[in-house]
Structures are given as C-alpha cells and as structure tokens.
Amino acid sequence: MTYGPRRGRIPRASRALRLSGASRIPRRSRRARILLCSLLGVLLLAGGGAAAYTWHRLNQNISSVELGSLLTPAASATSDLNILVVGSDSRAGKNASRAGGGDDTGRSDTTLLLHVYGGRKKAAVVSIPRDTMVNRPACTTASGQKVTAREGIMFNSVYETGGARCTVAAVEALSGGLRVNHYVEVGFDGFAELMDAVGGTDVTLVKPIDDKQSGIHLAAGKHHLNGQQALDLVRTRHGVGNGSDLGRIQLQHQFLTALIGKVSGQNVLTDPARLFTAADAATKSLTTDSSLARVDSLASLAYSMKGIGAASVQMVTLPAQLEQGDEDRLVPDAAKGAKLWAALKADKPVPDDALTGTASGPNGIGQIVQPG
C-alpha cells in the first residue's frame, strides 16, 4: 500500500510547482479556490460572532418542503441529477407588487426539469408548458390532504391543487417514471431581487417586444434590464409569437442562455460583499426540498455543477401538439415525448427527432434575445 506525505508537510514537487508559477494550476482549480476564498471573505467581513450570525441568517432565509420518498437521492456527487424547478405565480406578499396583484392562489407559472448529466459538465433543461393537458395521479399535499387522480387537466393547476408534492408526482408520471432528485421553487419577487443582486443583465433584442397587457415595451437593440424588467421580459406572452405559452418558453430559453453567459463572466465570486448580497437574495427567494434547505447543501450542489456553461446546456420544450378545437391547450406528443424521456433516463443527449415536427418545436419564433 502506498501512503501520501505526512500531514502538515508539502512534498518538494508541490513546493516547486507553487514557486514556478500559478499559471500551471488548472483553471477549474483556480475557480474553486476563488469560490472558497470568497465564501470565507463573506464570513470575515462579518467578523467574529457576526460570522456565525451571517451563516445562520442565510440558512434561515430558505423555506423548505418535505417530499420524502417522492425524491430519489443522487447516487454520487458526480452522478446524473434531475432537479424540478418551479416558478410560482402566487400574488401573495411581495409578489403582488411584482405581478400586479390579484388572486393569491399560486400556480406553476414556469416549470423546468433540469437534467444534469453524469460528470456534471453538461445539462438539458426541459420546459413543461403550463397549458399542457395532463393526467394528475393521486397524491398527498404537504399538509396531508389526499388529492384524487384526475385526467385531462391543465398542468399548472396541479400545483394550485396539490402544491410541490403533487407537482413532483405529476412530472414523474408524465415522464414515464423519470425520478426527481431535488425540488426548487422561486417566486416572482425572488427572481427580480436576485437579478438586482447580480447587477441586472444585458440583453440584445433582435426583435422589438410590445406587450400592452403586461406593459413591457422594448425596442430592438441592446438593453440593460433590472430585476423587474427581466421578470416582465420572461413573463411576457402577448409580446412574442402568437401569444401562447410556447413563444414565451422559447424566449425564456434564449434569456437563460444569455444570462448564464453573463453571470459566468461576472466577478461576483471575487467580491465578498456582492457575493453576500447575491446569496442573501437567492436564499430568500427559494423554497427547496428539505435535503437542500441549508447553505452548505446548496453550495455543494452548485459547486458540483461549476463546469456547466451556456454552450453545454440544451434547451428543450416538452413535445406537444395543439389540442383540436382549442389552440390555447397543448396535448403531449406521446411518441416524441417517449424518446425525450428515454434519452434522459439513459443519461444521453435528447435526439433532434424528439423535438421537431410538433407545436413546441425549436423554431417557432426565431431568435429574439442574444447575449448583451
């Protein structure tokens, strides 16, 4: 058996490497050190007992929901992973000012299944349109209320009736048994505050967006968007395509691609004060499954995916057809959907023939958003 060097001593080769220049250290290792140093810097800024308070505050920011056996733990820190991300359109609390008030009963305004491939170097994002007609399985809410099975209902009503637990059950049923490992929920206000915390984002609109119903009016060209403006952009339906959820989803995909590229190039990690502001906003905005409801758990998950950039994320919309007699409703394309879910279960890229030839195909509205 071969043993490493005794604890506390640095091998000569390692010392020589350090003295010969940091440029030989792999880029990802340097990013890892920057991240760890920046997190430490946040605590050092707080100082002494305030450091413990800062950590406690971030932990206290996070809301959680117990999902129990509905979730399947990941096999390892580098295995493939499925995270269900839900954007709630609740008008309760601060969300009312962001969303224009109204009914405080939340629905799943945006639902994304994030599949992170084994090795955690690439990912696929599957959007499930809110107007998709699905079968809701029997489920139990977080409060213990029994919800009976029902066929042919709109997908976003599942969350309204049964919350996170029923939404997870419905997605697993829709996907033919793809197991969800984690659940993350973000509200309107949380998204806008997080965008403000990272300094907003720059986007370039290839086409103008003019949505009288939501009040968003943006000319073609470059824009710097604050949190509220970014929220208005990703929520607009009548400003793109034919006013359906499909056009909005494609715009969201383009926006997310631009945002990933922007944030990955920012110096958030090297600025402790800014990092804390972003962490504070992010944790306030989240409701997660109980296994993620700690800062160290979220940081560990984020760190495991640090190698994923915009170019390595495949944006996908659930294959669907317009319902006969009602163009505001979508019916899943069973054959193409089966190919999509089979690929993700096998941890393989989604094939092109699973995406084309349906109402939710990739080229419905063309390019609207480009990185700023």
Coordinates of all heavy atoms in Angstrom, one line a residue, residues 194-239:
L194 N -33.1 38.7 -7.1 CA -31.8 38.0 -7.4 C -31.2 38.7 -8.6 O -30.0 38.9 -8.6 CB -32.1 36.5 -7.7 CG -30.8 35.7 -8.0 CD1 -29.8 35.8 -6.9 CD2 -31.2 34.3 -8.3
M195 N -32.0 39.0 -9.6 CA -31.5 39.7 -10.8 C -30.8 41.1 -10.4 O -29.8 41.4 -10.9 CB -32.6 39.9 -11.8 CG -33.1 38.7 -12.5 SD -31.8 37.8 -13.4 CE -31.2 39.1 -14.4
D196 N -31.5 41.8 -9.5 CA -30.9 43.1 -9.0 C -29.6 42.8 -8.2 O -28.7 43.6 -8.3 CB -31.9 43.8 -8.1 CG -33.1 44.5 -8.9 OD1 -32.8 44.8 -10.0 OD2 -34.2 44.6 -8.3
A197 N -29.6 41.7 -7.5 CA -28.4 41.5 -6.6 C -27.2 41.2 -7.5 O -26.0 41.5 -7.1 CB -28.6 40.3 -5.7
V198 N -27.3 40.6 -8.7 CA -26.2 40.3 -9.6 C -26.0 41.5 -10.5 O -25.2 41.4 -11.5 CB -26.3 39.0 -10.3 CG1 -26.4 37.9 -9.4 CG2 -27.5 39.1 -11.3
G199 N -26.7 42.6 -10.3 CA -26.4 43.8 -11.1 C -27.3 43.9 -12.4 O -26.9 44.6 -13.3
G200 N -28.4 43.1 -12.4 CA -29.2 43.1 -13.6 C -28.5 42.4 -14.8 O -27.5 41.7 -14.5
T201 N -29.0 42.4 -16.0 CA -28.3 41.7 -17.1 C -28.5 42.5 -18.4 O -29.4 43.3 -18.5 CB -28.9 40.3 -17.2 OG1 -28.2 39.6 -18.2 CG2 -30.4 40.4 -17.7
D202 N -27.5 42.3 -19.2 CA -27.6 43.0 -20.6 C -28.1 42.0 -21.6 O -27.7 40.8 -21.6 CB -26.2 43.4 -21.0 CG -25.6 44.5 -20.1 OD1 -26.4 45.4 -19.6 OD2 -24.4 44.5 -19.8
V203 N -29.1 42.4 -22.4 CA -29.6 41.6 -23.5 C -29.7 42.4 -24.7 O -29.8 43.7 -24.7 CB -31.0 41.0 -23.2 CG1 -30.9 40.0 -22.0 CG2 -32.0 42.0 -23.0
T204 N -29.6 41.8 -25.8 CA -29.8 42.4 -27.1 C -31.1 41.8 -27.8 O -31.1 40.6 -28.0 CB -28.6 42.3 -28.1 OG1 -27.5 43.0 -27.4 CG2 -28.9 43.0 -29.4
L205 N -32.1 42.6 -28.0 CA -33.3 42.1 -28.7 C -33.2 42.2 -30.2 O -33.0 43.3 -30.7 CB -34.5 42.9 -28.2 CG -34.8 42.8 -26.7 CD1 -36.1 43.6 -26.4 CD2 -35.0 41.4 -26.2
V206 N -33.3 41.1 -30.8 CA -33.3 41.1 -32.3 C -34.6 41.7 -32.8 O -34.6 42.3 -33.9 CB -33.1 39.6 -32.8 CG1 -33.1 39.6 -34.3 CG2 -31.8 39.1 -32.3
K207 N -35.7 41.4 -32.1 CA -37.0 42.0 -32.5 C -37.5 42.8 -31.3 O -37.3 42.5 -30.2 CB -37.9 40.8 -32.8 CG -37.5 39.9 -33.9 CD -38.4 38.7 -34.0 CE -38.0 37.7 -35.1 NZ -38.9 36.5 -35.2
P208 N -38.3 43.8 -31.6 CA -38.9 44.6 -30.5 C -40.0 43.7 -29.8 O -40.6 42.8 -30.4 CB -39.6 45.8 -31.2 CG -39.8 45.3 -32.6 CD -38.7 44.3 -32.9
I209 N -40.3 44.1 -28.5 CA -41.3 43.4 -27.8 C -42.3 44.5 -27.3 O -41.9 45.4 -26.6 CB -40.7 42.6 -26.6 CG1 -39.9 41.4 -27.1 CG2 -41.8 42.1 -25.6 CD1 -39.3 40.6 -26.0
D210 N -43.5 44.3 -27.7 CA -44.6 45.3 -27.3 C -45.8 44.5 -26.8 O -46.5 43.9 -27.6 CB -44.9 46.1 -28.6 CG -45.9 47.2 -28.3 OD1 -46.1 47.5 -27.1 OD2 -46.5 47.8 -29.2
D211 N -45.9 44.5 -25.5 CA -47.0 43.7 -24.8 C -47.8 44.7 -24.0 O -47.5 45.1 -22.9 CB -46.4 42.6 -23.9 CG -47.5 41.7 -23.4 OD1 -48.7 42.0 -23.5 OD2 -47.1 40.7 -22.8
K212 N -49.0 45.1 -24.6 CA -49.8 46.1 -23.9 C -50.4 45.5 -22.6 O -50.7 46.2 -21.7 CB -50.9 46.5 -24.9 CG -50.5 47.2 -26.1 CD -51.6 47.6 -27.0 CE -51.1 48.3 -28.3 NZ -52.2 48.7 -29.2
Q213 N -50.7 44.2 -22.6 CA -51.3 43.6 -21.4 C -50.3 43.6 -20.2 O -50.8 43.9 -19.1 CB -51.7 42.2 -21.7 CG -52.8 42.1 -22.7 CD -53.6 40.8 -22.7 OE1 -53.7 40.2 -21.6 NE2 -54.2 40.4 -23.8
S214 N -49.0 43.3 -20.4 CA -48.1 43.3 -19.3 C -47.4 44.7 -19.1 O -46.8 44.9 -18.1 CB -47.0 42.2 -19.5 OG -46.2 42.5 -20.6
G215 N -47.5 45.5 -20.2 CA -46.9 46.8 -20.1 C -45.4 46.9 -20.4 O -44.7 47.8 -20.1
I216 N -44.9 45.8 -21.1 CA -43.5 45.8 -21.4 C -43.3 46.3 -22.9 O -44.0 45.7 -23.8 CB -42.8 44.4 -21.2 CG1 -41.4 44.5 -21.6 CG2 -43.6 43.3 -22.0 CD1 -40.6 43.2 -21.2
H217 N -42.5 47.3 -23.1 CA -42.3 47.8 -24.4 C -40.8 48.1 -24.6 O -40.2 49.0 -24.0 CB -43.0 49.2 -24.6 CG -44.5 49.1 -24.3 ND1 -45.4 48.5 -25.1 CD2 -45.2 49.5 -23.2 CE1 -46.6 48.6 -24.6 NE2 -46.5 49.2 -23.4
L218 N -40.1 47.2 -25.4 CA -38.7 47.3 -25.6 C -38.4 47.3 -27.1 O -38.9 46.4 -27.8 CB -38.0 46.1 -24.9 CG -38.1 46.0 -23.4 CD1 -37.5 44.7 -22.9 CD2 -37.3 47.2 -22.7
A219 N -37.6 48.3 -27.5 CA -37.3 48.3 -28.9 C -36.2 47.3 -29.2 O -35.5 46.8 -28.3 CB -36.8 49.7 -29.3
A220 N -36.0 47.0 -30.5 CA -34.9 46.1 -30.9 C -33.6 46.8 -30.5 O -33.5 48.0 -30.6 CB -35.0 45.8 -32.4
G221 N -32.6 46.0 -30.1 CA -31.3 46.6 -29.7 C -30.9 46.2 -28.3 O -31.5 45.3 -27.7
K222 N -29.9 46.8 -27.8 CA -29.3 46.5 -26.5 C -30.0 47.1 -25.4 O -30.3 48.3 -25.5 CB -27.8 46.8 -26.5 CG -27.1 46.3 -25.3 CD -25.6 46.5 -25.4 CE -24.8 45.9 -24.2 NZ -23.3 46.0 -24.3
H223 N -30.2 46.4 -24.3 CA -30.9 46.9 -23.1 C -30.2 46.4 -21.9 O -29.7 45.2 -21.8 CB -32.4 46.5 -23.0 CG -33.2 47.0 -24.2 ND1 -33.8 48.2 -24.1 CD2 -33.4 46.4 -25.4 CE1 -34.5 48.4 -25.3 NE2 -34.3 47.3 -26.1
H224 N -30.1 47.2 -20.8 CA -29.7 46.7 -19.5 C -31.0 46.6 -18.7 O -31.6 47.6 -18.5 CB -28.7 47.6 -18.8 CG -28.3 47.2 -17.5 ND1 -27.3 46.2 -17.3 CD2 -28.7 47.5 -16.2 CE1 -27.1 45.9 -16.0 NE2 -28.0 46.7 -15.4
L225 N -31.3 45.4 -18.2 CA -32.5 45.2 -17.5 C -32.3 45.0 -16.0 O -31.4 44.3 -15.6 CB -33.2 43.9 -18.0 CG -33.5 43.8 -19.6 CD1 -34.2 42.5 -19.9 CD2 -34.3 45.0 -20.0
N226 N -33.1 45.7 -15.2 CA -33.1 45.5 -13.8 C -34.0 44.3 -13.5 O -34.5 43.6 -14.4 CB -33.5 46.7 -13.0 CG -34.9 47.2 -13.3 OD1 -35.8 46.4 -13.7 ND2 -35.2 48.5 -13.1
G227 N -34.1 44.0 -12.2 CA -34.9 42.8 -11.8 C -36.3 42.8 -12.3 O -36.8 41.8 -12.8
Q228 N -37.0 43.9 -12.1 CA -38.4 44.0 -12.5 C -38.6 43.9 -14.1 O -39.4 43.2 -14.6 CB -39.1 45.3 -12.1 CG -40.6 45.4 -12.5 CD -41.4 44.4 -11.8 OE1 -41.4 44.2 -10.6 NE2 -42.2 43.6 -12.6
Q229 N -37.7 44.5 -14.8 CA -37.7 44.5 -16.2 C -37.4 43.1 -16.8 O -38.0 42.6 -17.7 CB -36.7 45.5 -16.8 CG -37.1 46.9 -16.6 CD -36.0 47.9 -16.9 OE1 -34.8 47.6 -16.7 NE2 -36.3 49.0 -17.4
A230 N -36.4 42.4 -16.1 CA -36.1 41.0 -16.5 C -37.3 40.1 -16.3 O -37.6 39.2 -17.1 CB -34.9 40.5 -15.8
L231 N -38.0 40.3 -15.1 CA -39.2 39.5 -14.8 C -40.3 39.7 -15.8 O -40.9 38.8 -16.3 CB -39.7 39.9 -13.4 CG -41.0 39.2 -13.0 CD1 -40.8 37.7 -12.9 CD2 -41.5 39.7 -11.6
D232 N -40.5 41.0 -16.2 CA -41.5 41.3 -17.2 C -41.2 40.7 -18.5 O -42.1 40.2 -19.2 CB -41.6 42.8 -17.4 CG -42.2 43.6 -16.2 OD1 -42.9 42.9 -15.4 OD2 -42.0 44.8 -16.0
L233 N -39.9 40.6 -18.9 CA -39.5 40.0 -20.1 C -39.8 38.5 -20.2 O -40.4 38.0 -21.1 CB -38.0 40.3 -20.4 CG -37.4 39.7 -21.7 CD1 -38.1 40.3 -22.9 CD2 -35.9 39.8 -21.7
V234 N -39.4 37.8 -19.1 CA -39.5 36.4 -19.2 C -41.0 35.9 -19.0 O -41.3 34.8 -19.3 CB -38.6 35.7 -18.2 CG1 -37.2 36.0 -18.4 CG2 -39.0 36.0 -16.7
R235 N -41.8 36.9 -18.5 CA -43.2 36.5 -18.3 C -44.1 36.9 -19.5 O -45.3 36.6 -19.5 CB -43.8 37.1 -17.0 CG -43.1 36.6 -15.8 CD -43.9 36.9 -14.5 NE -45.2 36.2 -14.6 CZ -46.4 36.8 -14.6 NH1 -46.5 38.2 -14.6 NH2 -47.5 36.1 -14.6
T236 N -43.6 37.7 -20.4 CA -44.5 38.2 -21.5 C -45.0 37.1 -22.4 O -44.2 36.2 -22.7 CB -43.8 39.3 -22.4 OG1 -44.7 39.7 -23.3 CG2 -42.6 38.7 -23.1
R237 N -46.2 37.1 -22.7 CA -46.8 36.1 -23.6 C -47.3 36.7 -24.9 O -47.1 36.2 -26.0 CB -48.0 35.4 -22.9 CG -47.7 34.5 -21.8 CD -48.9 33.8 -21.2 NE -49.7 33.1 -22.2 CZ -50.3 31.9 -21.9 NH1 -50.2 31.4 -20.7 NH2 -51.0 31.3 -22.8
H238 N -47.9 37.9 -24.7 CA -48.5 38.5 -25.9 C -47.5 39.4 -26.7 O -47.9 39.9 -27.8 CB -49.7 39.4 -25.4 CG -50.7 38.6 -24.7 ND1 -51.7 37.8 -25.3 CD2 -51.0 38.5 -23.3 CE1 -52.4 37.3 -24.4 NE2 -52.0 37.7 -23.2
G239 N -46.3 39.5 -26.2 CA -45.3 40.2 -26.9 C -44.5 39.4 -27.9 O -43.6 39.9 -28.6

